[in-house]
Amino acid sequence: LSPRLVSRWGRRVIQLGTFLVGLGFALMIVATQVSMDSLSALHLVPGLILFGLGQGLAQPALMATALSEVPKNLAGSASGVVA
């Protein structure tokens, strides 16, 4: 899904993904601060969902963008460096 979105909207997909990651972190921080004494895993679920969606959008798009100019014979080495 992410490569198709990148071909349509470009680098905005990476921006949206990293925004969702940050928003997910913020929600988890708020959840831990608000319900500190009665914190359960369910309080973290909304933040984790946003974090996962953001990573799912940003990582493949970022990897494709970073490796787009690398020759095919060096793609394995380059992807190891990027990761």
Side-chain angles (χ1 to χ4, degrees):
L1 178 66
S2 182
R4 283 190 283 165
L5 292 175
V6 169
S7 66
R8 186 171 183 182
W9 289 315
R11 293 186 178 153
R12 290 186 180 138
V13 174
I14 298 171
Q15 294 170 340
L16 175 63
T18 54
F19 175 76
L20 289 176
V21 167
L23 187 61
F25 271 132
L27 278 176
M28 288 187 282
I29 290 170
V30 168
T32 57
Q33 297 300 314
V34 169
S35 58
M36 194 174 296
D37 295 334
S38 62
L39 183 66
S40 74
L42 292 177
H43 292 106
L44 300 176
V45 168
L48 288 170
I49 288 173
L50 284 177
F51 178 82
L53 287 173
Q55 283 289 345
L57 284 175
Q59 277 304 108
L62 186 59
M63 191 65 78
T65 302
L67 297 177
S68 64
E69 299 295 321
V70 176
K72 287 189 179 193
N73 63 333
L74 297 175
S77 300
S79 66
V81 170
V82 172

